[in-house]
Amino acid sequence: MTKFAIFLAVTALPMTWAQQQPADPPPAVTNASISGVVRNKNTGAPLKDYTISTYVNATWSGNSITMTATTKQVVAKTDEQGHYRLSDLPPAQYRIAMQGPEGFFGATSNRTVVLAGQDVDGIDFNAIVPATISGKVIDENGDGVPNMMVTLVSKEYYLGSIGYYHGGGALTNDLGEYTLANVKSGHTYYLIAQPWRRHEGAHAETPLNPAMRRRTVMRTWYPSSPDKDGAAPLLLRDSESREGVNIEVKKSPSYCLSGVAMTPNGPAALNLDVELLSPSNGTSSSGGSFGPTPGATTGSNGEFRLCDFAPGSYRVSVSETARAPESTFATTIVNISDRDVTDLRIPTSPRVSMDAEIVLEGEAHKDPFPMALRFNLMPMFRTQQPGEKAGGRADVPGTLQLTGLTWDDYSIYATVNTQGLYIKDITYGARSVFHQPVRVGSEGGSVPLHVILAQDGGRITTRVVNKDDHPVSGTTVIVMPEGAQSEADLAALITSGQTDQAGQYKSGFLAPGKYYVVATEDSYDMTPESIGKLWQSHNRFKEVDLPASGSVQVDLQPTGIR
C-alpha cells in the first residue's frame, strides 16, 4: 500500500460570524432492519416458525465465521404470513441464515445483504419443505423389533474421500414402528437400523461358549442388507410422506471384546466406549453429528468384557473417569470377524502439544494493520476433551501453541481475512494435510504443522442478472478451480456464496489461476451425485483467468446444473 504525504498551506484570515459557527456534526450512524418472507418453494405458501438469524460484528470467509468479543446473534421467527424482521443492525454486510423447523437436518439456506443505514425489505427465502419417512423394523418372521435406532445416512465427499455420515435418527416403539420427520428433500439418503445400546456393566455374563449365546441383531441397511453395498438409496420430494419403509434386520453370531485398559500409572477404572464405524459419530462436510455411544466403566483393575457384538470394525475409546484437563486418552480400531477378541491391552497416553507455525511467503506484507489467522483442529470422531486447546488466533507470521491434544484424528479449520492473503498449503512433516485428516503425533512429538500463506491472492466479483438485465438476489455463485484433478478435489476446493440484493457476489481471496464460475438457483451439496454433476458440466461454465493480486468482474445469468 503506497503512502502519500499531504501538506496544507494555511493563511490567517479575519474570522467572520459565519466562520465562527461550529462545523456540522457528522451524520449519526443509523441502524436498520432486514425483512422478508419465507415461502414454500413449490406452492408459494407462507411458512411459519422458520428461524432467520445473522451475526453482528462478525466476518465470514467462505463458510467459516470469525467472531470477536462484541459479536452477537440476532434471531427472528416467521409469523403466520411467513414474515420476519431482523432489527437494530448497524451498517455492514450480513449473512442471513434461514433454518427450517427444529430437528430438520441440513435445513439451512443463506442470503447476503448489505446494509447502509436504510431498511432493506424483500429478502425472501423459497424453502424446500422437509419430507417424512416412516415404517417398521421387522425380524425374519415379520414381527416388529423395538428399541432399534433408525438413522439417516448421507454419503458425502469429505477431506479428500467419500464417507458415510450420520444424520437424524428415531427410536422404534414397542411395535417396531418409527418416524423420521424433517428429512431434507432432494438429498440422497440411506437408512440403517441397529440396536440402541446404552452403557452397561464392565463384565458381561454372556456364556463363554459362543455356541450357547443368542444370535445378535446386526446393523442393517434398508431394505435388508448387512452391508452398505446392498443398500437402496432414498430420494424424497418436497413435503413427501414416504410410508412403509420397512427394514428387515439380519442376525449373526454374538461375539465379545475383553481385555485391560490402563493409564501410564497402571490399570484403573476407566471409561470405555465402543462404536461401530462407517457411519459413526463425527464431523462431516455438512457439520457432523455426535451422540452417546455404548460402553462401560471398567473395574478398578482396568478389566472389561463386553458382548453382543456382530462382525465389523469398531472404534474403542478409553478415557479417565475424571475428565480433568490433564486426563489421559486412547483410541484403537478393533476388527471382529468370526470369533471373540480377547486379551486386548489399551494403554492411555498423556496429552500432547503441537505448534502451528504460520509462514508468510514473499516480502513482509505492506498492510499496516495486524494480520491474523484463525486456526482450529477439530476432533473427527468425538467432542473436545476438557483442557483441549486446539486452536485460536495467530499472528502472521507467528506461532500458535496447541496444547492438551490427544493421539487422535483431527480435521483442520483455518481462515485468514487480510487483503490479498490466502492459505496456499498446510503441511505436517513432509506431507500436505490441506483438506486431509491429521493424525496428531504420527510424525513425532516435536514436529509442527506449517500453515503457508501466500499474498498474491485475487478476487472474483460477479454480477448476476436475468434476461431483462435486472439483478438477481439470493442466487448461488459457484467458483471451481481448473486445477481440480478429480471429483474429490473439486469437492475440497470449491467455493460458493450468495448474491446480495444488488445481484453481486465477491469471492474471498483466491490463488491466481483459471476458474470456472456459474450462477445457479439449483442447490448443490457434497453428495457424489451433486459433485458429479458439477464435475461433468463445469467446462460449459464461465471461464475466468484471475491474475496475481488482481480482480476480475464477471457478468452471469442463472443457469441449471442438474
Side-chain angles (χ1 to χ4, degrees):
M1 181 180 296
T2 305
K3 298 182 179 179
F4 297 91
I6 301 177
F7 298 91
L8 297 178
V10 181
T11 303
L13 296 174
M15 184 173 290
T16 65
W17 179 87
Q19 289 172 322
Q20 297 178 43
Q21 304 309 304
D24 292 336
V29 175
T30 304
N31 288 1
S33 66
I34 298 172
S35 57
V37 177
V38 179
R39 297 185 179 88
N40 184 310
K41 183 176 182 178
N42 291 328
T43 67
L47 296 173
K48 180 186 177 185
D49 290 334
Y50 274 57
T51 299
I52 312 297
S53 63
T54 192
Y55 287 92
V56 176
N57 297 327
T59 304
W60 286 89
S61 177
N63 290 320
S64 299
I65 185 172
T66 300
M67 299 185 183
T68 68
T70 61
T71 298
K72 68 174 183 177
Q73 188 178 30
V74 180
V75 180
K77 280 192 178 285
T78 57
D79 58 20
E80 295 279 356
Q81 288 73 45
H83 185 267
Y84 74 91
R85 179 181 295 274
L86 299 171
S87 302
D88 199 27
L89 302 175
Q93 177 173 293
Y94 292 91
R95 181 176 295 196
I96 313 299
M98 181 275 293
Q99 178 71 42
E102 185 176 355
F104 182 2
F105 174 65
T108 300
S109 180
N110 297 310
R111 298 287 302 276
T112 300
V113 179
V114 177
L115 276 187
Q118 295 181 333
D119 294 346
V120 174
D121 193 14
I123 306 302
D124 301 336
F125 291 88
N126 293 317
I128 299 175
V129 177
T132 301
I133 300 173
S134 61
K136 291 183 70 174
V137 176
I138 57 176
D139 61 19
E140 65 273 18
N141 299 317
D143 297 327
V145 183
N147 204 41
M148 295 288 292
M149 178 59 69
V150 180
T151 307
L152 289 167
V153 175
S154 182
K155 184 180 180 181
E156 303 172 3
Y157 281 105
Y158 183 54
L159 297 180
S161 61
I162 293 178
Y164 292 81
Y165 302 97
H166 280 171
L171 200 62
T172 60
N173 61 17
D174 291 343
L175 300 177
E177 300 167 333
Y178 74 92
T179 298
L180 291 166
N182 297 322
V183 178
K184 184 178 180 181
S185 52
H187 183 104
T188 300
Y189 285 106
Y190 299 85
L191 283 185
I192 55 172
Q194 58 189 350
W196 176 244
R197 299 179 56 157
R198 296 176 175 84
H199 276 63
E200 53 195 42
H203 300 281
E205 297 181 358
T206 303
L208 294 176
N209 184 352
M212 299 180 62
R213 302 172 190 166
R214 294 183 306 173
R215 291 171 64 82
T216 188
V217 176
M218 305 176 68
R219 170 189 277 178
T220 304
W221 297 71
Y222 169 78
S224 59
S225 174
D227 187 87
K228 63 174 68 75
D229 292 337
L234 292 167
L235 182 64
L236 277 69
R237 301 185 305 275
D238 181 30
S239 309
E240 179 182 357
S241 293
R242 184 79 60 90
E243 300 178 347
V245 183
N246 297 339
I247 305 172
E248 181 183 335
V249 292
K250 302 300 183 182
K251 292 184 178 181
S252 77
S254 172
Y255 300 107
C256 299
L257 300 173
S258 61
V260 177
M262 64 198 76
T263 71
N265 296 321
L270 298 169
N271 291 329
L272 189 144
D273 295 289
V274 183
E275 184 179 17
L276 190 60
L277 294 178
S278 190
S280 62
N281 281 327
T283 59
S284 70
S285 60
S286 54
S289 175
F290 295 87
T293 54
T297 300
T298 70
S300 59
N301 58 2
E303 293 183 357
F304 62 89
R305 181 174 184 260
L306 306 179
C307 295
D308 206 25
F309 294 104
S313 295
Y314 294 83
R315 174 181 165 93
V316 180
S317 301
V318 178
S319 59
E320 296 189 52
T321 53
R323 291 171 56 83
E326 66 277 6
S327 61
T328 58
F329 180 83
T331 181
T332 187
I333 305 300
V334 176
N335 295 305
I336 299 177
S337 56
D338 57 358
R339 66 195 65 188
D340 291 348
V341 177
T342 60
D343 299 324
L344 282 171
R345 297 182 65 83
I346 308 177
T348 61
S349 299
R351 305 293 187 89
V352 295
S353 298
M354 171 188 286
D355 287 342
E357 296 183 355
I358 319 304
V359 180
L360 183 65
E361 286 191 338
E363 297 180 3
H365 200 276
K366 299 180 178 64
D367 195 321
F369 300 103
M371 296 178 290
L373 173 86
R374 291 285 177 179
F375 183 91
N376 279 281
L377 294 180
M378 180 69 70
M380 291 184 61
F381 300 106
R382 57 173 176 80
T383 56
Q384 283 193 333
Q385 297 279 328
E388 193 170 14
K389 183 181 180 297
R393 177 188 179 280
D395 293 332
V396 179
T399 299
L400 180 65
Q401 291 185 328
L402 310 174
T403 59
L405 306 179
T406 64
W407 298 74
D408 206 354
D409 295 309
Y410 291 81
S411 55
I412 298 174
Y413 292 85
T415 59
V416 60
N417 293 318
T418 303
Q419 179 81 16
L421 265 62
Y422 63 93
I423 300 172
K424 184 175 182 179
D425 199 4
I426 302 175
T427 61
Y428 186 36
R431 182 172 67 93
S432 173
V433 292
F434 201 18
H435 310 299
Q436 298 290 327
V438 176
R439 179 76 176 186
V440 167
S442 62
E443 298 292 327
S446 61
V447 176
L449 283 163
H450 284 97
V451 183
I452 303 166
L453 302 181
Q455 48 185 327
D456 59 349
R459 304 186 82 170
I460 297 174
T461 301
T462 61
R463 177 176 176 265
V464 182
V465 296
N466 60 20
K467 62 181 180 180
D468 299 320
D469 202 38
H470 294 153
V472 181
S473 66
T475 297
T476 299
V477 177
I478 304 174
V479 180
M480 296 166 284
E482 182 195 42
Q485 301 297 311
S486 65
E487 290 185 14
D489 276 355
L490 181 63
L493 299 173
I494 194 170
T495 61
S496 65
Q498 301 281 330
T499 57
D500 61 20
Q501 69 267 34
Q504 295 184 342
Y505 161 74
K506 181 179 285 188
S507 73
F509 289 99
L510 304 171
K514 184 177 292 184
Y515 292 85
Y516 298 99
V517 186
V518 64
T520 182
E521 294 181 352
D522 293 339
S523 60
Y524 86 96
D525 51 32
M526 289 296 143
T527 59
E529 295 83 3
S530 186
I531 295 299
K533 291 170 185 175
L534 285 172
W535 177 256
Q536 294 166 11
S537 58
H538 72 276
N539 286 330
R540 62 183 176 87
F541 299 154
K542 186 79 170 182
E543 189 175 304
V544 174
D545 284 307
L546 181 63
S549 303
S551 62
V552 175
Q553 172 75 44
V554 184
D555 293 328
L556 300 170
Q557 288 188 357
T559 186
I561 59 174
R562 295 182 175 179

